[in-house]
Amino acid sequence: MALGEFKFYLWRSKADVQKEAQDYEAWAFPYGQKQRERLVKLLLELFPKESEATTLIPFLTAKELFLNYRKSSDMTDDAVEKMLEMKKYKRVIRKKEMAMYTALAVADSQLTDAVEYPTADEIRAMAKGFEVIKANN
């Protein structure tokens, strides 16, 4: 095995690391810092006992899963259904929070330049609706 095949000697320049971070930030928050601030405020209202990091990580995971399942905008219901079929996602999204993070991912996917998220009560209602749909299936 040649030395180049070992991944733990992988070197990336500071510029490459910064570019990756910028690309990820642009994907996660396409409307910039305003979106991030409003989302964090909403997350902390929905999960008052949690910190920013412990809500952002599951949210971003849910967002990625949702977008992977939703191949086009007319497949939102299919993506929601697949998300809810997962009782939990590894150790990142807990079973009891899956509907809430799914609702947040749906709301995030519908943002416009105005960056107006639904209220915490609207997100809770959407999550509760998802749970009812799941229970009926």
Side-chain angles (χ1 to χ4, degrees), residues 13 28 32 38 40 42 44 53 66 74 93 99 108 111 124 132 136:
S13 70
R38 289 182 178 182
V40 167
L42 177 60
L44 294 176
F66 177 75
D74 63 331
I93 305 172
D108 188 77
L111 280 183
R124 285 184 193 103
V132 168
N136 290 334

Side-chain angles (χ1 to χ4, degrees), residues 1-11:
M1 185 177 277
L3 183 58
E5 293 178 24
F6 288 105
K7 297 291 184 195
F8 45 101
Y9 288 110
L10 184 63
W11 182 83

Side-chain angles (χ1 to χ4, degrees), residues 19-95:
K19 173 84 168 94
E20 276 183 29
Q22 288 171 345
D23 290 348
Y24 186 79
E25 190 78 16
W27 170 83
F29 308 107
Y31 297 107
Q33 190 61 30
K34 180 180 181 180
Q35 178 185 6
R36 183 187 177 109
E37 289 168 2
R38 289 182 178 182
L39 175 65
V40 167
K41 182 180 178 199
L42 177 60
L43 287 167
L44 294 176
E45 190 174 342
L46 290 166
F47 303 102
K49 294 180 182 179
E50 302 291 337
S51 69
E52 179 177 333
T54 59
T55 58
L56 264 179
I57 292 168
F59 166 75
L60 293 171
T61 302
K63 177 177 179 167
E64 184 175 357
L65 287 167
F66 177 75
L67 293 175
N68 285 340
Y69 288 137
R70 192 188 81 166
K71 304 293 185 208
S72 63
S73 60
D74 63 331
M75 294 181 67
T76 298
D77 292 342
D78 293 336
V80 167
E81 191 175 307
K82 287 181 181 176
M83 295 278 295
L84 296 175
E85 285 173 3
M86 287 188 281
K87 294 182 179 24
K88 62 181 180 175
Y89 185 75
K90 302 190 180 191
R91 293 184 177 177
V92 178
I93 305 172
R94 293 172 236 162
K95 178 181 178 178

